[in-house]
Amino acid sequence: MQNKWVVPLVMGVCLLAACSSKNVISTPQLSVKVLETIPQTSAPEWVNSTTEFWEAKGYYYYRGTAEGYTNLEAAKRAGAASARTNMAEQVKSTIRSEFARALESGNYDDTTGGYLKDVFFSTVDNLSVSGIVIQESYLQHLLETTGLQERMYYRAYVLARISVKDYNSVVQRAFSDTKAQTQANKSAKELVKETEARFWAEQNKNEE
């Protein structure tokens, strides 16, 4: 599957990522120094990635971040929670987007199409996303100086992943639940079948 679902990092996160490759960030108002890293190695490539959600070799990846914690374990837990939560939301967002693309590439009545989209989106929103795994973490112990004030805290970068197989399972559940909810609506029942076929045709084409 092509690497087409990537989300640009906001400028604030870009600034944080820059800190991972340099030991000191200094402006007239702010200085941030990396005291140590855990593990004690240079930052992995994914830490400095310009995207936070991508697909590679049968997996989708998401990089979560958390900072401001004075306790190392708390920083690790917060980073992992951020990565899991945002990975799940990104998966749902991607599924909704690809469904809308498949729906709009066909011919349909606006009323039926709007109804079907509402049902599918609501179904996706209420699904749980299983299979998310924390693959790796990278932490920095930072010293921040603002004027005469100093504070030390941790920043955690956490890499989460979900297999394409598990992603597809979420899609299958979304279509299954949608078909069950539209069973009594003949037009929507047929349209969801047609849209599902286009959805998977597009996924298979991207994997070639």
Side-chain angles (χ1 to χ4, degrees):
M1 193 173 293
Q2 291 179 343
N3 186 12
K4 64 179 180 179
W5 295 307
V6 293
V7 181
L9 292 176
V10 295
M11 291 302 294
V13 178
C14 289
L15 177 61
L16 300 185
C19 187
S20 66
S21 58
K22 297 180 180 180
N23 285 337
V24 177
I25 285 181
S26 181
T27 71
Q29 296 79 27
L30 174 69
S31 173
V32 180
K33 182 178 181 180
V34 180
L35 300 177
E36 65 173 329
T37 65
I38 305 166
Q40 295 181 348
T41 61
S42 58
E45 184 177 350
W46 59 267
V47 168
N48 292 321
S49 173
T50 57
T51 60
E52 59 184 5
F53 182 65
W54 67 95
E55 183 271 337
K57 298 180 180 179
Y59 289 92
Y60 291 103
Y61 293 91
Y62 188 91
R63 187 203 50 201
T65 59
E67 71 168 59
Y69 295 86
T70 57
N71 179 275
L72 175 61
E73 292 304 316
K76 288 181 179 179
R77 290 194 297 270
S82 170
R84 289 181 184 278
T85 299
N86 288 295
M87 166 66 90
E89 288 305 312
Q90 188 60 60
V91 165
K92 292 180 179 182
S93 177
T94 298
I95 292 172
R96 290 192 297 265
S97 177
E98 290 305 295
F99 174 85
R101 189 197 306 270
L103 175 65
E104 292 162 8
S105 66
N107 296 318
Y108 61 91
D109 173 81
D110 287 342
T111 300
T112 302
Y115 163 71
L116 180 58
K117 183 183 288 187
D118 287 344
V119 172
F120 187 87
F121 279 25
S122 177
T123 297
V124 171
D125 288 342
N126 288 294
L127 288 176
S128 61
V129 180
S130 58
I132 297 175
V133 175
I134 301 301
Q135 176 170 307
E136 188 178 357
S137 64
Y138 185 79
L139 291 93
Q140 299 168 327
H141 193 198
L142 304 174
L143 171 63
E144 180 182 297
T145 303
T146 307
L148 299 177
Q149 296 184 333
E150 293 185 343
R151 71 182 183 115
M152 290 189 292
Y153 58 92
Y154 289 95
R155 176 182 298 141
Y157 296 91
V158 179
L159 183 65
R161 76 181 189 205
I162 184 172
S163 69
V164 171
K165 179 180 178 181
D166 285 328
Y167 168 88
N168 288 342
S169 293
V170 180
V171 176
Q172 289 165 355
R173 281 189 283 131
F175 274 109
S176 178
D177 290 354
T178 299
K179 284 186 282 189
Q181 293 182 58
T182 58
Q183 189 70 24
N185 186 318
K186 183 177 179 180
S187 297
K189 179 181 176 181
E190 293 303 315
L191 184 56
V192 71
K193 290 179 180 179
E194 297 169 5
T195 304
E196 182 179 23
R198 287 194 296 272
F199 184 103
W200 291 117
E202 185 66 23
Q203 303 305 297
N204 293 334
K205 183 172 66 176
N206 290 332
E207 290 178 353
E208 294 176 355

